[in-house]
PDB file of all heavy atoms in Angstrom:
ATOM      1  N   LEU D   5      -0.701  58.656  22.780  1.00  0.00           N
ATOM      2  CA  LEU D   5       0.529  58.973  22.065  1.00  0.00           C
ATOM      3  C   LEU D   5       1.361  59.998  22.828  1.00  0.00           C
ATOM      4  O   LEU D   5       2.584  59.858  22.963  1.00  0.00           O
ATOM      5  CB  LEU D   5       0.197  59.489  20.663  1.00  0.00           C
ATOM      6  CG  LEU D   5       1.391  59.806  19.769  1.00  0.00           C
ATOM      7  CD1 LEU D   5       2.228  58.559  19.520  1.00  0.00           C
ATOM      8  CD2 LEU D   5       0.920  60.398  18.466  1.00  0.00           C
ATOM      9  N   LEU D   6       0.717  61.034  23.340  1.00  0.00           N
ATOM     10  CA  LEU D   6       1.405  62.036  24.133  1.00  0.00           C
ATOM     11  C   LEU D   6       1.985  61.421  25.403  1.00  0.00           C
ATOM     12  O   LEU D   6       3.113  61.726  25.793  1.00  0.00           O
ATOM     13  CB  LEU D   6       0.432  63.178  24.478  1.00  0.00           C
ATOM     14  CG  LEU D   6       1.037  64.380  25.195  1.00  0.00           C
ATOM     15  CD1 LEU D   6       2.127  65.018  24.361  1.00  0.00           C
ATOM     16  CD2 LEU D   6      -0.044  65.383  25.537  1.00  0.00           C
ATOM     17  N   TYR D   7       1.243  60.526  26.050  1.00  0.00           N
ATOM     18  CA  TYR D   7       1.709  59.832  27.254  1.00  0.00           C
ATOM     19  C   TYR D   7       2.961  59.004  26.932  1.00  0.00           C
ATOM     20  O   TYR D   7       3.921  59.030  27.688  1.00  0.00           O
ATOM     21  CB  TYR D   7       0.579  58.946  27.786  1.00  0.00           C
ATOM     22  CG  TYR D   7       0.951  58.170  29.016  1.00  0.00           C
ATOM     23  CD1 TYR D   7       1.102  58.801  30.246  1.00  0.00           C
ATOM     24  CD2 TYR D   7       1.159  56.793  28.964  1.00  0.00           C
ATOM     25  CE1 TYR D   7       1.439  58.089  31.379  1.00  0.00           C
ATOM     26  CE2 TYR D   7       1.507  56.077  30.090  1.00  0.00           C
ATOM     27  CZ  TYR D   7       1.644  56.725  31.302  1.00  0.00           C
ATOM     28  OH  TYR D   7       1.980  56.018  32.418  1.00  0.00           O
ATOM     29  N   LEU D  13      10.712  60.342  26.884  1.00  0.00           N
ATOM     30  CA  LEU D  13      11.597  61.457  27.234  1.00  0.00           C
ATOM     31  C   LEU D  13      12.067  61.358  28.685  1.00  0.00           C
ATOM     32  O   LEU D  13      13.247  61.579  28.979  1.00  0.00           O
ATOM     33  CB  LEU D  13      10.895  62.797  26.988  1.00  0.00           C
ATOM     34  CG  LEU D  13      10.691  63.177  25.524  1.00  0.00           C
ATOM     35  CD1 LEU D  13       9.862  64.458  25.406  1.00  0.00           C
ATOM     36  CD2 LEU D  13      12.043  63.370  24.852  1.00  0.00           C
ATOM     37  N   SER D  23      23.868  57.636  33.602  1.00  0.00           N
ATOM     38  CA  SER D  23      25.132  57.441  32.883  1.00  0.00           C
ATOM     39  C   SER D  23      26.160  58.483  33.297  1.00  0.00           C
ATOM     40  O   SER D  23      27.345  58.179  33.419  1.00  0.00           O
ATOM     41  CB  SER D  23      24.912  57.533  31.376  1.00  0.00           C
ATOM     42  OG  SER D  23      24.082  56.482  30.948  1.00  0.00           O
ATOM     43  N   ALA D  24      25.727  59.700  33.510  1.00  0.00           N
ATOM     44  CA  ALA D  24      26.650  60.760  33.921  1.00  0.00           C
ATOM     45  C   ALA D  24      27.139  60.535  35.349  1.00  0.00           C
ATOM     46  O   ALA D  24      28.299  60.777  35.666  1.00  0.00           O
ATOM     47  CB  ALA D  24      25.978  62.124  33.794  1.00  0.00           C
ATOM     48  N   VAL D  25      26.262  60.060  36.221  1.00  0.00           N
ATOM     49  CA  VAL D  25      26.633  59.866  37.623  1.00  0.00           C
ATOM     50  C   VAL D  25      27.496  58.622  37.805  1.00  0.00           C
ATOM     51  O   VAL D  25      28.529  58.654  38.468  1.00  0.00           O
ATOM     52  CB  VAL D  25      25.366  59.781  38.513  1.00  0.00           C
ATOM     53  CG1 VAL D  25      25.722  59.358  39.923  1.00  0.00           C
ATOM     54  CG2 VAL D  25      24.642  61.111  38.516  1.00  0.00           C
ATOM     55  N   GLU D  27      28.924  56.656  35.373  1.00  0.00           N
ATOM     56  CA  GLU D  27      29.831  56.423  34.254  1.00  0.00           C
ATOM     57  C   GLU D  27      29.663  55.017  33.712  1.00  0.00           C
ATOM     58  O   GLU D  27      28.560  54.524  33.596  1.00  0.00           O
ATOM     59  CB  GLU D  27      31.265  56.733  34.674  1.00  0.00           C
ATOM     60  CG  GLU D  27      31.462  58.186  35.028  1.00  0.00           C
ATOM     61  CD  GLU D  27      32.868  58.504  35.449  1.00  0.00           C
ATOM     62  OE1 GLU D  27      33.725  57.604  35.452  1.00  0.00           O
ATOM     63  OE2 GLU D  27      33.113  59.667  35.767  1.00  0.00           O
ATOM     64  N   THR D  50      51.121  26.717  34.725  1.00  0.00           N
ATOM     65  CA  THR D  50      50.456  25.770  35.618  1.00  0.00           C
ATOM     66  C   THR D  50      48.961  25.779  35.351  1.00  0.00           C
ATOM     67  O   THR D  50      48.449  26.634  34.621  1.00  0.00           O
ATOM     68  CB  THR D  50      50.702  26.143  37.090  1.00  0.00           C
ATOM     69  OG1 THR D  50      50.102  27.420  37.345  1.00  0.00           O
ATOM     70  CG2 THR D  50      52.189  26.203  37.402  1.00  0.00           C
ATOM     71  N   VAL D  62      33.951  39.892  22.670  1.00  0.00           N
ATOM     72  CA  VAL D  62      33.539  40.767  21.584  1.00  0.00           C
ATOM     73  C   VAL D  62      32.117  40.380  21.194  1.00  0.00           C
ATOM     74  O   VAL D  62      31.504  39.514  21.816  1.00  0.00           O
ATOM     75  CB  VAL D  62      34.519  40.674  20.385  1.00  0.00           C
ATOM     76  CG1 VAL D  62      35.866  41.276  20.762  1.00  0.00           C
ATOM     77  CG2 VAL D  62      34.691  39.272  19.910  1.00  0.00           C
ATOM     78  N   GLY D  65      31.371  36.478  20.850  1.00  0.00           N
ATOM     79  CA  GLY D  65      32.087  35.542  21.709  1.00  0.00           C
ATOM     80  C   GLY D  65      33.405  36.115  22.165  1.00  0.00           C
ATOM     81  O   GLY D  65      33.494  37.288  22.517  1.00  0.00           O
ATOM     82  N   LEU D  75      46.388  29.416  23.007  1.00  0.00           N
ATOM     83  CA  LEU D  75      46.573  28.031  22.575  1.00  0.00           C
ATOM     84  C   LEU D  75      47.980  27.814  22.028  1.00  0.00           C
ATOM     85  O   LEU D  75      48.597  26.768  22.271  1.00  0.00           O
ATOM     86  CB  LEU D  75      45.522  27.661  21.526  1.00  0.00           C
ATOM     87  CG  LEU D  75      44.090  27.562  22.048  1.00  0.00           C
ATOM     88  CD1 LEU D  75      43.128  27.319  20.890  1.00  0.00           C
ATOM     89  CD2 LEU D  75      43.966  26.479  23.093  1.00  0.00           C
ATOM     90  N   ARG D  77      50.708  29.470  22.963  1.00  0.00           N
ATOM     91  CA  ARG D  77      51.607  29.467  24.122  1.00  0.00           C
ATOM     92  C   ARG D  77      51.535  28.140  24.867  1.00  0.00           C
ATOM     93  O   ARG D  77      52.553  27.577  25.267  1.00  0.00           O
ATOM     94  CB  ARG D  77      51.236  30.601  25.093  1.00  0.00           C
ATOM     95  CG  ARG D  77      51.752  31.933  24.700  1.00  0.00           C
ATOM     96  CD  ARG D  77      53.213  32.132  25.068  1.00  0.00           C
ATOM     97  NE  ARG D  77      53.421  31.964  26.487  1.00  0.00           N
ATOM     98  CZ  ARG D  77      54.116  30.981  27.043  1.00  0.00           C
ATOM     99  NH1 ARG D  77      54.700  30.092  26.311  1.00  0.00           N
ATOM    100  NH2 ARG D  77      54.255  30.904  28.345  1.00  0.00           N
ATOM    101  N   GLY D  79      50.626  25.279  23.633  1.00  0.00           N
ATOM    102  CA  GLY D  79      51.232  24.272  22.771  1.00  0.00           C
ATOM    103  C   GLY D  79      52.744  24.306  22.839  1.00  0.00           C
ATOM    104  O   GLY D  79      53.401  23.260  22.878  1.00  0.00           O
ATOM    105  N   GLU D  81      54.499  25.335  25.386  1.00  0.00           N
ATOM    106  CA  GLU D  81      54.871  24.822  26.714  1.00  0.00           C
ATOM    107  C   GLU D  81      54.822  23.294  26.735  1.00  0.00           C
ATOM    108  O   GLU D  81      55.718  22.644  27.263  1.00  0.00           O
ATOM    109  CB  GLU D  81      53.925  25.397  27.772  1.00  0.00           C
ATOM    110  CG  GLU D  81      54.249  24.992  29.175  1.00  0.00           C
ATOM    111  CD  GLU D  81      55.497  25.659  29.726  1.00  0.00           C
ATOM    112  OE1 GLU D  81      55.929  26.685  29.185  1.00  0.00           O
ATOM    113  OE2 GLU D  81      56.045  25.130  30.712  1.00  0.00           O
ATOM    114  N   ILE D  82      53.804  22.726  26.115  1.00  0.00           N
ATOM    115  CA  ILE D  82      53.696  21.259  26.046  1.00  0.00           C
ATOM    116  C   ILE D  82      54.857  20.686  25.248  1.00  0.00           C
ATOM    117  O   ILE D  82      55.468  19.684  25.641  1.00  0.00           O
ATOM    118  CB  ILE D  82      52.342  20.851  25.450  1.00  0.00           C
ATOM    119  CG1 ILE D  82      51.220  21.153  26.450  1.00  0.00           C
ATOM    120  CG2 ILE D  82      52.325  19.374  25.064  1.00  0.00           C
ATOM    121  CD1 ILE D  82      49.836  21.019  25.876  1.00  0.00           C
ATOM    122  N   SER D  93      64.734  10.984  29.345  1.00  0.00           N
ATOM    123  CA  SER D  93      64.603   9.547  29.132  1.00  0.00           C
ATOM    124  C   SER D  93      65.766   9.005  28.288  1.00  0.00           C
ATOM    125  O   SER D  93      66.180   7.868  28.457  1.00  0.00           O
ATOM    126  CB  SER D  93      63.262   9.208  28.474  1.00  0.00           C
ATOM    127  OG  SER D  93      63.201   9.750  27.176  1.00  0.00           O
ATOM    128  N   GLU D  98      68.908   2.629  30.541  1.00  0.00           N
ATOM    129  CA  GLU D  98      67.801   1.668  30.543  1.00  0.00           C
ATOM    130  C   GLU D  98      68.195   0.464  31.379  1.00  0.00           C
ATOM    131  O   GLU D  98      69.264  -0.116  31.212  1.00  0.00           O
ATOM    132  CB  GLU D  98      67.464   1.248  29.118  1.00  0.00           C
ATOM    133  CG  GLU D  98      66.862   2.371  28.313  1.00  0.00           C
ATOM    134  CD  GLU D  98      66.360   1.887  26.975  1.00  0.00           C
ATOM    135  OE1 GLU D  98      66.039   0.690  26.852  1.00  0.00           O
ATOM    136  OE2 GLU D  98      66.294   2.696  26.061  1.00  0.00           O
ATOM    137  N   VAL D 107      65.463  -0.797  43.490  1.00  0.00           N
ATOM    138  CA  VAL D 107      66.475  -0.686  44.537  1.00  0.00           C
ATOM    139  C   VAL D 107      67.300   0.581  44.342  1.00  0.00           C
ATOM    140  O   VAL D 107      67.580   1.299  45.290  1.00  0.00           O
ATOM    141  CB  VAL D 107      67.394  -1.939  44.532  1.00  0.00           C
ATOM    142  CG1 VAL D 107      68.563  -1.735  45.471  1.00  0.00           C
ATOM    143  CG2 VAL D 107      66.596  -3.167  44.899  1.00  0.00           C
ATOM    144  N   ASP D 109      66.549   3.362  42.391  1.00  0.00           N
ATOM    145  CA  ASP D 109      65.815   4.597  42.132  1.00  0.00           C
ATOM    146  C   ASP D 109      64.667   4.736  43.132  1.00  0.00           C
ATOM    147  O   ASP D 109      63.667   4.027  43.029  1.00  0.00           O
ATOM    148  CB  ASP D 109      65.281   4.572  40.688  1.00  0.00           C
ATOM    149  CG  ASP D 109      64.683   5.904  40.274  1.00  0.00           C
ATOM    150  OD1 ASP D 109      64.803   6.875  41.053  1.00  0.00           O
ATOM    151  OD2 ASP D 109      64.114   5.965  39.174  1.00  0.00           O
ATOM    152  N   GLU D 111      62.400   7.065  43.402  1.00  0.00           N
ATOM    153  CA  GLU D 111      61.153   7.483  42.762  1.00  0.00           C
ATOM    154  C   GLU D 111      60.450   6.291  42.137  1.00  0.00           C
ATOM    155  O   GLU D 111      59.245   6.135  42.251  1.00  0.00           O
ATOM    156  CB  GLU D 111      61.430   8.515  41.666  1.00  0.00           C
ATOM    157  CG  GLU D 111      61.566   9.913  42.176  1.00  0.00           C
ATOM    158  CD  GLU D 111      61.642  10.911  41.032  1.00  0.00           C
ATOM    159  OE1 GLU D 111      61.140  10.614  39.933  1.00  0.00           O
ATOM    160  OE2 GLU D 111      62.212  11.966  41.264  1.00  0.00           O
ATOM    161  N   ALA D 112      61.203   5.428  41.485  1.00  0.00           N
ATOM    162  CA  ALA D 112      60.608   4.245  40.870  1.00  0.00           C
ATOM    163  C   ALA D 112      60.039   3.340  41.953  1.00  0.00           C
ATOM    164  O   ALA D 112      58.996   2.715  41.767  1.00  0.00           O
ATOM    165  CB  ALA D 112      61.637   3.503  40.034  1.00  0.00           C
ATOM    166  N   VAL D 115      56.722   4.769  43.052  1.00  0.00           N
ATOM    167  CA  VAL D 115      55.683   4.555  42.050  1.00  0.00           C
ATOM    168  C   VAL D 115      55.232   3.100  42.059  1.00  0.00           C
ATOM    169  O   VAL D 115      54.053   2.806  41.951  1.00  0.00           O
ATOM    170  CB  VAL D 115      56.195   4.968  40.648  1.00  0.00           C
ATOM    171  CG1 VAL D 115      55.220   4.540  39.573  1.00  0.00           C
ATOM    172  CG2 VAL D 115      56.432   6.468  40.600  1.00  0.00           C
TER     173      VAL D 115
END
Side-chain angles (χ1 to χ4, degrees):
L5 183 61
L6 186 60
Y7 179 72
L13 289 174
S23 296
V25 171
E27 296 180 1
T50 64
V62 292
L75 291 175
R77 280 280 302 113
E81 183 72 19
I82 289 170
S93 65
E98 292 188 25
V107 172
D109 188 7
E111 277 188 25
V115 171

